[in-house]
Amino acid sequence: MADVDDLEPDGSIETEEGGHSASLRAELDRREARRIAEALVFASAQPVSTAFIEERLPRGVSAREILHQLKDDYAARGVNLVQVDDHWAFRTAADLSFAIRSDEAEVKKLSRAALEVLAIIAYHQPVTRAEIEDIRGVQTSKGTLDVLMEAGWVRFRGRRRSPGRPVTLGTTRDFLDHFGLEELRDLPGLEELKGAGLLSGRIPANFNIPLPMGHDELSEEEDPITQLDLEELGLLTPGGEAEE
């Protein structure tokens, strides 16, 4: 006589079908996610954050994983998907830059003083003007900082929790984007900077590359800049309206 269990329907077929269906849905979600992420980055004039993309992908799909897949897909093409401080953008492949004609106005060539100040800010941020002058051994003119800010590479970060509450300076996401850096950890080494003539021999022994920090993230020694601070710095007119 046949065993009762042998007469019962085998549930393994349904399990396999259910698993296959779930796997197919997951693959379709990943394909759709790649299309959405690609469209979001392509349509934006500025680098798009991973968080912004994550919010618009199918539930359960990792934006970071999808973006790295797209980065690999575009690696050998005429445009590449590049990461800039956890933001993403399409850029012309570096080896094809010679073939691209740009009618855009070039950023004004920086003076040696501006290059030194930019390098110090990049490696020491958050850093104050007094600290920059201490490292360089000379006074830093307001015009030098103005040039770097007009280029969009330097910004006011916060205020140091020390007597006088000096303003701290740091680099911007545009700085990383312009120099092809994903994060501050990708900055060239000290010897490379010296070889390029960007730093003089007056470099302190403790000069090093900082750990990358989010552009909106303040250190424990900084307070955020308030509206009153912006007015004091001349970035806002009294009453809170931005200057033209």
Side-chain angles (χ1 to χ4, degrees):
M1 179 180 290
D3 188 51
V4 175
D5 291 339
D6 294 336
L7 301 178
E8 293 180 353
D10 188 351
S12 62
I13 297 178
E14 293 184 6
T15 301
E16 290 178 2
E17 290 180 349
H20 177 71
S21 177
S23 177
L24 180 60
R25 285 197 301 271
E27 178 57 28
L28 290 175
D29 282 348
R30 284 192 293 270
R31 290 182 184 179
E32 184 68 6
R34 283 194 292 271
R35 295 181 66 240
I36 292 172
E38 185 178 31
L40 289 171
V41 178
F42 180 81
S44 176
Q46 300 295 328
V48 184
S49 72
T50 304
F52 179 86
I53 296 172
E54 182 94 49
E55 292 174 355
R56 288 153 180 80
L57 297 188
R59 182 174 300 179
V61 177
S62 168
R64 197 172 301 278
E65 179 182 340
I66 292 299
L67 287 162
H68 278 97
Q69 289 176 0
L70 279 175
K71 182 178 180 181
D72 292 339
D73 290 344
Y74 277 89
R77 300 187 185 182
V79 292
N80 299 149
L81 181 63
V82 300
Q83 184 176 358
V84 184
D85 188 37
D86 205 32
H87 285 60
W88 300 81
F90 282 115
R91 294 290 182 263
T92 303
D95 61 327
L96 297 179
S97 58
F98 72 93
I100 306 300
R101 177 184 175 185
S102 176
D103 294 326
E104 297 178 0
E106 295 184 0
V107 176
K108 181 180 179 181
K109 186 175 181 180
L110 298 181
S111 66
R112 182 183 181 88
L115 286 171
E116 284 191 355
V117 171
L118 178 61
I120 291 170
I121 292 174
Y123 282 84
H124 280 267
Q125 59 187 299
V127 63
T128 66
R129 181 172 173 175
E131 290 166 344
I132 295 171
E133 294 175 347
D134 183 56
I135 293 171
R136 295 187 65 227
V138 296
Q139 188 174 12
T140 299
S141 70
K142 183 178 183 297
T144 298
L145 290 175
D146 287 343
V147 167
L148 295 176
M149 289 187 173
E150 288 172 5
W153 296 343
V154 169
R155 69 185 179 94
F156 294 121
R157 285 177 48 97
R159 305 209 78 147
R160 183 69 54 78
R161 294 176 182 173
S162 61
R165 300 185 66 245
V167 175
T168 56
L169 299 164
T171 54
T172 66
R173 188 172 296 113
D174 285 345
F175 165 80
L176 296 177
D177 194 13
H178 181 85
F179 290 98
L181 305 172
E182 287 190 8
E183 57 183 13
L184 293 177
R185 200 187 299 272
D186 295 327
L187 284 166
L190 185 58
E191 294 306 317
E192 294 175 89
L193 288 173
K194 286 182 178 179
L198 300 182
L199 294 175
S200 66
R202 300 186 298 271
I203 304 301
N206 64 345
F207 186 80
N208 53 29
I209 296 177
L211 292 175
M213 178 180 293
H215 283 288
D216 295 326
E217 182 181 350
L218 298 176
S219 71
E220 296 180 354
E221 299 178 350
E222 292 177 284
D223 286 322
I225 289 182
T226 65
Q227 180 172 314
L228 290 177
D229 293 326
L230 293 176
E231 292 179 5
E232 179 184 327
L233 295 169
L235 300 181
L236 287 180
T237 57
E241 296 183 358
E243 287 190 339
E244 297 294 336

